[in-house]
PDB file of all heavy atoms in Angstrom:
ATOM      1  N   ALA A  97      18.163 250.629 184.277  1.00  0.00           N
ATOM      2  CA  ALA A  97      19.306 249.976 183.634  1.00  0.00           C
ATOM      3  C   ALA A  97      18.932 248.605 183.098  1.00  0.00           C
ATOM      4  O   ALA A  97      19.242 248.258 181.956  1.00  0.00           O
ATOM      5  CB  ALA A  97      20.458 249.863 184.631  1.00  0.00           C
ATOM      6  N   PHE A  98      18.239 247.816 183.899  1.00  0.00           N
ATOM      7  CA  PHE A  98      17.914 246.460 183.488  1.00  0.00           C
ATOM      8  C   PHE A  98      16.882 246.426 182.368  1.00  0.00           C
ATOM      9  O   PHE A  98      16.782 245.439 181.636  1.00  0.00           O
ATOM     10  CB  PHE A  98      17.435 245.648 184.684  1.00  0.00           C
ATOM     11  CG  PHE A  98      18.499 245.461 185.746  1.00  0.00           C
ATOM     12  CD1 PHE A  98      18.166 245.255 187.073  1.00  0.00           C
ATOM     13  CD2 PHE A  98      19.836 245.503 185.411  1.00  0.00           C
ATOM     14  CE1 PHE A  98      19.145 245.080 188.043  1.00  0.00           C
ATOM     15  CE2 PHE A  98      20.828 245.334 186.369  1.00  0.00           C
ATOM     16  CZ  PHE A  98      20.483 245.125 187.691  1.00  0.00           C
ATOM     17  N   ASN A  99      16.123 247.512 182.224  1.00  0.00           N
ATOM     18  CA  ASN A  99      15.184 247.586 181.107  1.00  0.00           C
ATOM     19  C   ASN A  99      15.907 247.705 179.774  1.00  0.00           C
ATOM     20  O   ASN A  99      15.299 247.496 178.713  1.00  0.00           O
ATOM     21  CB  ASN A  99      14.234 248.782 181.282  1.00  0.00           C
ATOM     22  CG  ASN A  99      13.190 248.540 182.355  1.00  0.00           C
ATOM     23  OD1 ASN A  99      12.876 247.391 182.698  1.00  0.00           O
ATOM     24  ND2 ASN A  99      12.637 249.607 182.896  1.00  0.00           N
ATOM     25  N   GLN A 100      17.207 248.065 179.828  1.00  0.00           N
ATOM     26  CA  GLN A 100      17.993 248.170 178.599  1.00  0.00           C
ATOM     27  C   GLN A 100      18.335 246.797 178.036  1.00  0.00           C
ATOM     28  O   GLN A 100      18.685 246.670 176.864  1.00  0.00           O
ATOM     29  CB  GLN A 100      19.307 248.925 178.872  1.00  0.00           C
ATOM     30  CG  GLN A 100      19.144 250.297 179.492  1.00  0.00           C
ATOM     31  CD  GLN A 100      18.676 251.329 178.502  1.00  0.00           C
ATOM     32  OE1 GLN A 100      18.875 251.175 177.304  1.00  0.00           O
ATOM     33  NE2 GLN A 100      18.044 252.375 178.993  1.00  0.00           N
ATOM     34  N   THR A 101      18.239 245.781 178.859  1.00  0.00           N
ATOM     35  CA  THR A 101      18.637 244.441 178.438  1.00  0.00           C
ATOM     36  C   THR A 101      17.428 243.678 177.923  1.00  0.00           C
ATOM     37  O   THR A 101      16.283 244.015 178.177  1.00  0.00           O
ATOM     38  CB  THR A 101      19.262 243.667 179.605  1.00  0.00           C
ATOM     39  OG1 THR A 101      18.281 243.482 180.631  1.00  0.00           O
ATOM     40  CG2 THR A 101      20.433 244.443 180.170  1.00  0.00           C
ATOM     41  N   SER A 102      17.693 242.625 177.194  1.00  0.00           N
ATOM     42  CA  SER A 102      16.643 241.745 176.686  1.00  0.00           C
ATOM     43  C   SER A 102      17.253 240.380 176.448  1.00  0.00           C
ATOM     44  O   SER A 102      18.463 240.189 176.571  1.00  0.00           O
ATOM     45  CB  SER A 102      16.055 242.301 175.389  1.00  0.00           C
ATOM     46  OG  SER A 102      17.055 242.376 174.389  1.00  0.00           O
ATOM     47  N   ASP A 103      16.414 239.422 176.073  1.00  0.00           N
ATOM     48  CA  ASP A 103      16.917 238.067 175.861  1.00  0.00           C
ATOM     49  C   ASP A 103      17.902 237.999 174.690  1.00  0.00           C
ATOM     50  O   ASP A 103      18.774 237.139 174.660  1.00  0.00           O
ATOM     51  CB  ASP A 103      15.743 237.106 175.605  1.00  0.00           C
ATOM     52  CG  ASP A 103      14.884 236.914 176.847  1.00  0.00           C
ATOM     53  OD1 ASP A 103      15.398 237.163 177.956  1.00  0.00           O
ATOM     54  OD2 ASP A 103      13.708 236.533 176.700  1.00  0.00           O
ATOM     55  N   ASN A 104      17.743 238.892 173.702  1.00  0.00           N
ATOM     56  CA  ASN A 104      18.627 238.871 172.538  1.00  0.00           C
ATOM     57  C   ASN A 104      19.518 240.108 172.470  1.00  0.00           C
ATOM     58  O   ASN A 104      19.848 240.603 171.404  1.00  0.00           O
ATOM     59  CB  ASN A 104      17.795 238.760 171.256  1.00  0.00           C
ATOM     60  CG  ASN A 104      16.943 239.984 171.029  1.00  0.00           C
ATOM     61  OD1 ASN A 104      16.635 240.699 171.978  1.00  0.00           O
ATOM     62  ND2 ASN A 104      16.559 240.229 169.792  1.00  0.00           N
ATOM     63  N   TRP A 105      19.923 240.615 173.653  1.00  0.00           N
ATOM     64  CA  TRP A 105      20.679 241.867 173.694  1.00  0.00           C
ATOM     65  C   TRP A 105      21.973 241.799 172.905  1.00  0.00           C
ATOM     66  O   TRP A 105      22.393 242.751 172.268  1.00  0.00           O
ATOM     67  CB  TRP A 105      20.974 242.258 175.140  1.00  0.00           C
ATOM     68  CG  TRP A 105      21.872 241.290 175.850  1.00  0.00           C
ATOM     69  CD1 TRP A 105      21.499 240.170 176.515  1.00  0.00           C
ATOM     70  CD2 TRP A 105      23.299 241.362 175.955  1.00  0.00           C
ATOM     71  NE1 TRP A 105      22.591 239.536 177.034  1.00  0.00           N
ATOM     72  CE2 TRP A 105      23.712 240.244 176.712  1.00  0.00           C
ATOM     73  CE3 TRP A 105      24.247 242.254 175.495  1.00  0.00           C
ATOM     74  CZ2 TRP A 105      25.038 239.990 177.005  1.00  0.00           C
ATOM     75  CZ3 TRP A 105      25.584 242.002 175.786  1.00  0.00           C
ATOM     76  CH2 TRP A 105      25.962 240.886 176.537  1.00  0.00           C
ATOM     77  N   LEU A 106      22.619 240.643 172.889  1.00  0.00           N
ATOM     78  CA  LEU A 106      23.898 240.541 172.202  1.00  0.00           C
ATOM     79  C   LEU A 106      23.711 240.516 170.691  1.00  0.00           C
ATOM     80  O   LEU A 106      24.455 241.127 169.939  1.00  0.00           O
ATOM     81  CB  LEU A 106      24.635 239.279 172.665  1.00  0.00           C
ATOM     82  CG  LEU A 106      26.081 239.131 172.194  1.00  0.00           C
ATOM     83  CD1 LEU A 106      26.897 240.351 172.589  1.00  0.00           C
ATOM     84  CD2 LEU A 106      26.695 237.866 172.760  1.00  0.00           C
ATOM     85  N   LYS A 107      22.649 239.836 170.229  1.00  0.00           N
ATOM     86  CA  LYS A 107      22.399 239.753 168.795  1.00  0.00           C
ATOM     87  C   LYS A 107      21.841 241.055 168.232  1.00  0.00           C
ATOM     88  O   LYS A 107      21.843 241.265 167.037  1.00  0.00           O
ATOM     89  CB  LYS A 107      21.421 238.605 168.497  1.00  0.00           C
ATOM     90  CG  LYS A 107      21.987 237.236 168.811  1.00  0.00           C
ATOM     91  CD  LYS A 107      20.973 236.150 168.492  1.00  0.00           C
ATOM     92  CE  LYS A 107      21.528 234.769 168.826  1.00  0.00           C
ATOM     93  NZ  LYS A 107      20.540 233.705 168.543  1.00  0.00           N
ATOM     94  N   ALA A 108      21.313 241.905 169.089  1.00  0.00           N
ATOM     95  CA  ALA A 108      20.659 243.131 168.633  1.00  0.00           C
ATOM     96  C   ALA A 108      21.634 244.259 168.338  1.00  0.00           C
ATOM     97  O   ALA A 108      21.222 245.347 168.005  1.00  0.00           O
ATOM     98  CB  ALA A 108      19.643 243.595 169.670  1.00  0.00           C
ATOM     99  N   GLN A 109      22.930 244.001 168.472  1.00  0.00           N
ATOM    100  CA  GLN A 109      23.900 245.070 168.244  1.00  0.00           C
ATOM    101  C   GLN A 109      23.986 245.387 166.755  1.00  0.00           C
ATOM    102  O   GLN A 109      23.581 244.617 165.895  1.00  0.00           O
ATOM    103  CB  GLN A 109      25.273 244.656 168.780  1.00  0.00           C
ATOM    104  CG  GLN A 109      25.263 244.358 170.264  1.00  0.00           C
ATOM    105  CD  GLN A 109      24.652 245.470 171.092  1.00  0.00           C
ATOM    106  OE1 GLN A 109      25.017 246.615 170.914  1.00  0.00           O
ATOM    107  NE2 GLN A 109      23.739 245.146 171.968  1.00  0.00           N
ATOM    108  N   ASP A 110      24.554 246.549 166.441  1.00  0.00           N
ATOM    109  CA  ASP A 110      24.603 247.020 165.063  1.00  0.00           C
ATOM    110  C   ASP A 110      25.391 246.069 164.174  1.00  0.00           C
ATOM    111  O   ASP A 110      26.259 245.319 164.615  1.00  0.00           O
ATOM    112  CB  ASP A 110      25.241 248.406 165.008  1.00  0.00           C
ATOM    113  CG  ASP A 110      24.303 249.476 165.519  1.00  0.00           C
ATOM    114  OD1 ASP A 110      23.099 249.204 165.518  1.00  0.00           O
ATOM    115  OD2 ASP A 110      24.784 250.540 165.923  1.00  0.00           O
ATOM    116  N   LEU A 111      25.076 246.170 162.882  1.00  0.00           N
ATOM    117  CA  LEU A 111      25.688 245.311 161.882  1.00  0.00           C
ATOM    118  C   LEU A 111      26.985 245.923 161.359  1.00  0.00           C
ATOM    119  O   LEU A 111      27.219 247.125 161.483  1.00  0.00           O
ATOM    120  CB  LEU A 111      24.725 245.130 160.718  1.00  0.00           C
ATOM    121  CG  LEU A 111      23.375 244.504 161.037  1.00  0.00           C
ATOM    122  CD1 LEU A 111      22.402 244.793 159.910  1.00  0.00           C
ATOM    123  CD2 LEU A 111      23.517 243.021 161.248  1.00  0.00           C
ATOM    124  N   ALA A 112      27.798 245.097 160.747  1.00  0.00           N
ATOM    125  CA  ALA A 112      28.957 245.551 159.984  1.00  0.00           C
ATOM    126  C   ALA A 112      28.730 245.087 158.552  1.00  0.00           C
ATOM    127  O   ALA A 112      28.726 243.900 158.274  1.00  0.00           O
ATOM    128  CB  ALA A 112      30.242 244.955 160.550  1.00  0.00           C
ATOM    129  N   VAL A 113      28.501 246.038 157.636  1.00  0.00           N
ATOM    130  CA  VAL A 113      28.076 245.704 156.284  1.00  0.00           C
ATOM    131  C   VAL A 113      29.038 246.291 155.259  1.00  0.00           C
ATOM    132  O   VAL A 113      29.365 247.483 155.314  1.00  0.00           O
ATOM    133  CB  VAL A 113      26.647 246.227 156.007  1.00  0.00           C
ATOM    134  CG1 VAL A 113      26.181 245.781 154.622  1.00  0.00           C
ATOM    135  CG2 VAL A 113      25.678 245.737 157.075  1.00  0.00           C
ATOM    136  N   THR A 114      29.483 245.444 154.345  1.00  0.00           N
ATOM    137  CA  THR A 114      30.273 245.878 153.196  1.00  0.00           C
ATOM    138  C   THR A 114      29.378 245.855 151.972  1.00  0.00           C
ATOM    139  O   THR A 114      28.736 244.845 151.685  1.00  0.00           O
ATOM    140  CB  THR A 114      31.475 244.950 152.973  1.00  0.00           C
ATOM    141  OG1 THR A 114      32.313 244.967 154.135  1.00  0.00           O
ATOM    142  CG2 THR A 114      32.281 245.398 151.765  1.00  0.00           C
ATOM    143  N   PHE A 115      29.325 246.977 151.234  1.00  0.00           N
ATOM    144  CA  PHE A 115      28.452 247.076 150.073  1.00  0.00           C
ATOM    145  C   PHE A 115      29.261 246.979 148.784  1.00  0.00           C
ATOM    146  O   PHE A 115      30.327 247.583 148.651  1.00  0.00           O
ATOM    147  CB  PHE A 115      27.688 248.405 150.095  1.00  0.00           C
ATOM    148  CG  PHE A 115      26.621 248.471 151.150  1.00  0.00           C
ATOM    149  CD1 PHE A 115      26.850 249.149 152.336  1.00  0.00           C
ATOM    150  CD2 PHE A 115      25.394 247.841 150.964  1.00  0.00           C
ATOM    151  CE1 PHE A 115      25.874 249.211 153.309  1.00  0.00           C
ATOM    152  CE2 PHE A 115      24.414 247.891 151.946  1.00  0.00           C
ATOM    153  CZ  PHE A 115      24.653 248.577 153.124  1.00  0.00           C
ATOM    154  N   LEU A 116      28.705 246.226 147.838  1.00  0.00           N
ATOM    155  CA  LEU A 116      29.278 246.090 146.507  1.00  0.00           C
ATOM    156  C   LEU A 116      28.315 246.688 145.495  1.00  0.00           C
ATOM    157  O   LEU A 116      27.096 246.686 145.706  1.00  0.00           O
ATOM    158  CB  LEU A 116      29.521 244.619 146.166  1.00  0.00           C
ATOM    159  CG  LEU A 116      30.210 243.747 147.218  1.00  0.00           C
ATOM    160  CD1 LEU A 116      30.296 242.309 146.723  1.00  0.00           C
ATOM    161  CD2 LEU A 116      31.593 244.281 147.555  1.00  0.00           C
ATOM    162  N   ASP A 117      28.853 247.179 144.382  1.00  0.00           N
ATOM    163  CA  ASP A 117      27.958 247.656 143.329  1.00  0.00           C
ATOM    164  C   ASP A 117      27.488 246.472 142.492  1.00  0.00           C
ATOM    165  O   ASP A 117      27.779 245.315 142.805  1.00  0.00           O
ATOM    166  CB  ASP A 117      28.634 248.731 142.485  1.00  0.00           C
ATOM    167  CG  ASP A 117      29.761 248.193 141.610  1.00  0.00           C
ATOM    168  OD1 ASP A 117      30.005 246.970 141.611  1.00  0.00           O
ATOM    169  OD2 ASP A 117      30.414 249.000 140.927  1.00  0.00           O
ATOM    170  N   ARG A 118      26.748 246.744 141.442  1.00  0.00           N
ATOM    171  CA  ARG A 118      26.149 245.663 140.647  1.00  0.00           C
ATOM    172  C   ARG A 118      27.197 244.799 139.954  1.00  0.00           C
ATOM    173  O   ARG A 118      26.893 243.681 139.520  1.00  0.00           O
ATOM    174  CB  ARG A 118      25.172 246.240 139.626  1.00  0.00           C
ATOM    175  CG  ARG A 118      25.797 247.167 138.618  1.00  0.00           C
ATOM    176  CD  ARG A 118      24.719 247.968 137.869  1.00  0.00           C
ATOM    177  NE  ARG A 118      23.752 247.079 137.246  1.00  0.00           N
ATOM    178  CZ  ARG A 118      23.813 246.706 135.977  1.00  0.00           C
ATOM    179  NH1 ARG A 118      24.818 247.119 135.209  1.00  0.00           N
ATOM    180  NH2 ARG A 118      22.896 245.927 135.464  1.00  0.00           N
ATOM    181  N   TYR A 119      28.442 245.302 139.846  1.00  0.00           N
ATOM    182  CA  TYR A 119      29.513 244.521 139.236  1.00  0.00           C
ATOM    183  C   TYR A 119      30.351 243.770 140.260  1.00  0.00           C
ATOM    184  O   TYR A 119      31.306 243.083 139.906  1.00  0.00           O
ATOM    185  CB  TYR A 119      30.421 245.441 138.410  1.00  0.00           C
ATOM    186  CG  TYR A 119      29.705 246.167 137.304  1.00  0.00           C
ATOM    187  CD1 TYR A 119      29.537 247.544 137.354  1.00  0.00           C
ATOM    188  CD2 TYR A 119      29.182 245.480 136.221  1.00  0.00           C
ATOM    189  CE1 TYR A 119      28.876 248.218 136.344  1.00  0.00           C
ATOM    190  CE2 TYR A 119      28.517 246.138 135.203  1.00  0.00           C
ATOM    191  CZ  TYR A 119      28.359 247.508 135.273  1.00  0.00           C
ATOM    192  OH  TYR A 119      27.690 248.166 134.273  1.00  0.00           O
ATOM    193  N   GLY A 120      30.048 243.926 141.549  1.00  0.00           N
ATOM    194  CA  GLY A 120      30.799 243.232 142.582  1.00  0.00           C
ATOM    195  C   GLY A 120      31.968 244.005 143.132  1.00  0.00           C
ATOM    196  O   GLY A 120      32.780 243.458 143.896  1.00  0.00           O
ATOM    197  N   THR A 121      32.089 245.287 142.784  1.00  0.00           N
ATOM    198  CA  THR A 121      33.176 246.120 143.282  1.00  0.00           C
ATOM    199  C   THR A 121      32.763 246.791 144.589  1.00  0.00           C
ATOM    200  O   THR A 121      31.659 247.332 144.685  1.00  0.00           O
ATOM    201  CB  THR A 121      33.542 247.208 142.256  1.00  0.00           C
ATOM    202  OG1 THR A 121      33.895 246.577 141.017  1.00  0.00           O
ATOM    203  CG2 THR A 121      34.704 248.055 142.752  1.00  0.00           C
ATOM    204  N   GLU A 122      33.625 246.764 145.585  1.00  0.00           N
ATOM    205  CA  GLU A 122      33.288 247.394 146.862  1.00  0.00           C
ATOM    206  C   GLU A 122      33.126 248.897 146.687  1.00  0.00           C
ATOM    207  O   GLU A 122      33.972 249.565 146.109  1.00  0.00           O
ATOM    208  CB  GLU A 122      34.372 247.115 147.898  1.00  0.00           C
ATOM    209  CG  GLU A 122      34.055 247.705 149.272  1.00  0.00           C
ATOM    210  CD  GLU A 122      35.104 247.395 150.317  1.00  0.00           C
ATOM    211  OE1 GLU A 122      35.707 246.298 150.260  1.00  0.00           O
ATOM    212  OE2 GLU A 122      35.329 248.255 151.196  1.00  0.00           O
ATOM    213  N   VAL A 123      32.005 249.429 147.222  1.00  0.00           N
ATOM    214  CA  VAL A 123      31.728 250.853 147.089  1.00  0.00           C
ATOM    215  C   VAL A 123      31.601 251.553 148.431  1.00  0.00           C
ATOM    216  O   VAL A 123      31.490 252.777 148.481  1.00  0.00           O
ATOM    217  CB  VAL A 123      30.438 251.086 146.272  1.00  0.00           C
ATOM    218  CG1 VAL A 123      30.643 250.701 144.829  1.00  0.00           C
ATOM    219  CG2 VAL A 123      29.265 250.335 146.875  1.00  0.00           C
ATOM    220  N   GLY A 124      31.613 250.831 149.517  1.00  0.00           N
ATOM    221  CA  GLY A 124      31.511 251.482 150.815  1.00  0.00           C
ATOM    222  C   GLY A 124      31.114 250.521 151.905  1.00  0.00           C
ATOM    223  O   GLY A 124      30.771 249.358 151.654  1.00  0.00           O
ATOM    224  N   ARG A 125      31.184 251.016 153.128  1.00  0.00           N
ATOM    225  CA  ARG A 125      30.820 250.225 154.298  1.00  0.00           C
ATOM    226  C   ARG A 125      29.938 251.059 155.211  1.00  0.00           C
ATOM    227  O   ARG A 125      30.029 252.287 155.234  1.00  0.00           O
ATOM    228  CB  ARG A 125      32.063 249.762 155.057  1.00  0.00           C
ATOM    229  CG  ARG A 125      32.967 248.851 154.238  1.00  0.00           C
ATOM    230  CD  ARG A 125      34.084 248.277 155.081  1.00  0.00           C
ATOM    231  NE  ARG A 125      34.919 247.373 154.309  1.00  0.00           N
ATOM    232  CZ  ARG A 125      35.850 246.596 154.842  1.00  0.00           C
ATOM    233  NH1 ARG A 125      36.077 246.630 156.146  1.00  0.00           N
ATOM    234  NH2 ARG A 125      36.573 245.810 154.086  1.00  0.00           N
ATOM    235  N   ARG A 126      29.099 250.372 155.936  1.00  0.00           N
ATOM    236  CA  ARG A 126      28.250 251.027 156.910  1.00  0.00           C
ATOM    237  C   ARG A 126      28.141 250.126 158.133  1.00  0.00           C
ATOM    238  O   ARG A 126      28.470 248.951 158.092  1.00  0.00           O
ATOM    239  CB  ARG A 126      26.851 251.295 156.345  1.00  0.00           C
ATOM    240  CG  ARG A 126      26.785 252.412 155.314  1.00  0.00           C
ATOM    241  CD  ARG A 126      27.128 253.747 155.935  1.00  0.00           C
ATOM    242  NE  ARG A 126      26.946 254.855 155.011  1.00  0.00           N
ATOM    243  CZ  ARG A 126      27.842 255.292 154.171  1.00  0.00           C
ATOM    244  NH1 ARG A 126      29.017 254.685 154.102  1.00  0.00           N
ATOM    245  NH2 ARG A 126      27.605 256.335 153.397  1.00  0.00           N
TER     246      ARG A 126
END
C-alpha cells in the first residue's frame, strides 16, 4: 500500500483538460 504513495502523490493525479479548435471553439474535454 505504501509503495503506492510518493512525494508528489497529490500532484500526480489526472488532469482536467478542455480542448479548443484552431479558432478557439471548444471541441471536447478529456
Side-chain angles (χ1 to χ4, degrees):
F98 296 154
N99 286 338
Q100 305 285 336
T101 64
S102 62
D103 292 338
N104 66 337
W105 65 273
L106 189 55
K107 294 180 181 179
Q109 300 308 311
D110 286 339
L111 300 162
V113 184
T114 300
F115 288 101
L116 313 177
D117 70 2
R118 62 194 304 263
Y119 300 112
T121 303
E122 182 178 326
V123 291
R125 298 187 178 190
R126 287 295 186 273

